[in-house]
Amino acid sequence: MQEELNAIVAGVREKAPQITTRAEFEAYKATISGPKGALTEVMKGMGKVPKEDKPAMGKLINEAKTAVTVEFDAVLERLEASELAAKLGPAIDPSLPCPDLSRGTLHPIAQVREEVVALFRRIGFSVAEATEVETEHYCFDALNIPGDHPARDMQDSYYLPDELKVSNVSKEGDEKYLLRTHTSTVQIRTMLKEKPPIRIVAPGRCFRRDTPDATHSANFHQIEGLYVDKDVTLLDLKATLDHFVKTIFGPKAKTRLRPSFFPFTEPSFEMDFFSPDLGKLSNKWLEIMGCGMVDPEVFKAVGIDPEVYSGYAFGMGIERIAMILQGVDDIRYYYQNDVRFLKQFA
């Protein structure tokens, strides 16, 4: 029996390297370990082996089975590698040009941001940016927002740990760091660095502790504008915003200002617009932004004389504009990274 086992193992070792297809492998495997295979027949002969010889014989059979299994596994691994290579085709030459000519595109929100920024650049505004991590002074105090204002509550703002040190964000005093809740902080830092006349737009990402729903997100984008010079009036603000609305939403669009309140502007307004060219939103008054003349207290906080200079400011959500222009009814679609959705605006 030992001689039979040795012959079977030797035969497998000789035949295995010559197998080239899976069908050939399965057929040969059946002749060795199938129901009527050579190794199976030897194992059936264990019943005729004397009792005292069975342990030694069982050991020999197990060794033969292990040797055969090793050979078969090697064949199977070689065949699978060959099949995979056949599916992949010839090796790729990395020096050849890419056959895929499709290109990516800007995110829908980024597209609208670039369109709005380009509009204001054409009428003399420059782009100003700053960090998304801010301090209470620049986010609230310098904007004339009092300490008991709801916007400063932990429910509305993302405050950072007290022990945090941010080397590139200056502090006015011993205030806390937080993620900015609006891009008005860029206006404050710009007025501290530059002297009037100042004409900027400040696009960027903001953060508030909102529960996500169809119109709210804890992460969103704003674009704010600021114009400071001598003899700036409410008429200048209205003319600028009329130009913005007519350019973005069509020449037939109309605007209206409704009195409101913001700590950093006086007088303050909510601005609505009306356009016949917006599909299902046509011929409806839609709120689009807040605006107003810069409060004298804000000028005092940044060292600008309110007796000499005046200015206006406005701010709007980029997602809000995008949703109107693109016919999107749920802000969450912009953040789900669904390529099917994003490709619609490519």
Side-chain angles (χ1 to χ4, degrees), residues 120-241:
F120 283 107
R121 280 186 184 275
R122 291 194 294 269
I123 58 175
F125 285 78
S126 60
V127 176
E129 295 182 308
T131 58
E132 295 174 354
V133 173
E134 263 299 349
T135 73
E136 288 182 290
H137 175 78
Y138 294 100
C139 203
F140 301 123
D141 297 333
L143 288 162
N144 198 37
I145 299 176
D148 58 354
H149 194 281
R152 304 181 72 145
D153 194 282
M154 284 291 291
Q155 293 181 354
D156 290 322
S157 305
Y158 286 104
Y159 283 92
L160 302 176
D162 293 339
E163 62 273 14
L164 180 69
K165 305 296 181 185
V166 184
S167 59
N168 65 327
V169 180
S170 60
K171 282 187 176 184
E172 184 70 15
D174 190 27
E175 71 264 30
K176 293 182 178 181
Y177 287 112
L178 72 159
L179 297 179
R180 66 183 181 189
T181 57
H182 44 208
T183 56
S184 303
T185 57
V186 183
Q187 298 182 32
I188 296 299
R189 290 191 178 274
T190 300
M191 287 190 285
L192 286 170
K193 290 190 298 183
E194 302 177 14
K195 295 181 179 180
I198 297 171
R199 187 180 296 188
I200 63 165
V201 286
R205 187 165 55 171
C206 305
F207 308 86
R208 295 178 188 171
R209 293 170 64 91
D210 280 332
T211 301
D213 59 25
T215 57
H216 295 86
S217 173
N219 160 83
F220 60 98
H221 298 77
Q222 274 191 342
I223 183 165
E224 299 195 10
L226 172 71
Y227 178 34
V228 180
D229 203 348
K230 296 178 180 179
D231 302 319
V232 177
T233 68
L234 187 59
L235 182 62
D236 298 312
L237 170 63
K238 184 67 162 61
T240 300
L241 298 184

Side-chain angles (χ1 to χ4, degrees), residues 8-9 11-13 15-17 19 24-34 39 64-80:
I8 292 171
V9 172
V12 170
R13 287 173 175 167
K15 177 65 176 176
I19 297 175
E24 185 181 354
F25 167 72
E26 295 296 341
Y28 180 69
K29 182 180 178 182
T31 66
I32 302 299
S33 56
L39 185 58
K65 287 174 61 179
T66 301
V68 168
T69 300
V70 169
E71 294 298 324
F72 284 166
D73 288 346
V75 172
L76 194 57
E77 183 178 353
R78 175 166 53 82
L79 292 177
E80 288 176 347

Side-chain angles (χ1 to χ4, degrees), residues 1 34-48 61:
M1 188 175 287
K36 297 182 180 181
L39 185 58
T40 306
E41 292 298 326
V42 173
M43 293 169 62
K44 291 178 180 178
M46 277 288 289
K48 301 176 182 179
I61 290 176

Side-chain angles (χ1 to χ4, degrees), residues 37 113 145 186 220 243 296 324 326:
R113 166 183 161 150
I145 299 176
V186 183
F220 60 98
H243 173 72
I324 294 172
Q326 297 164 352

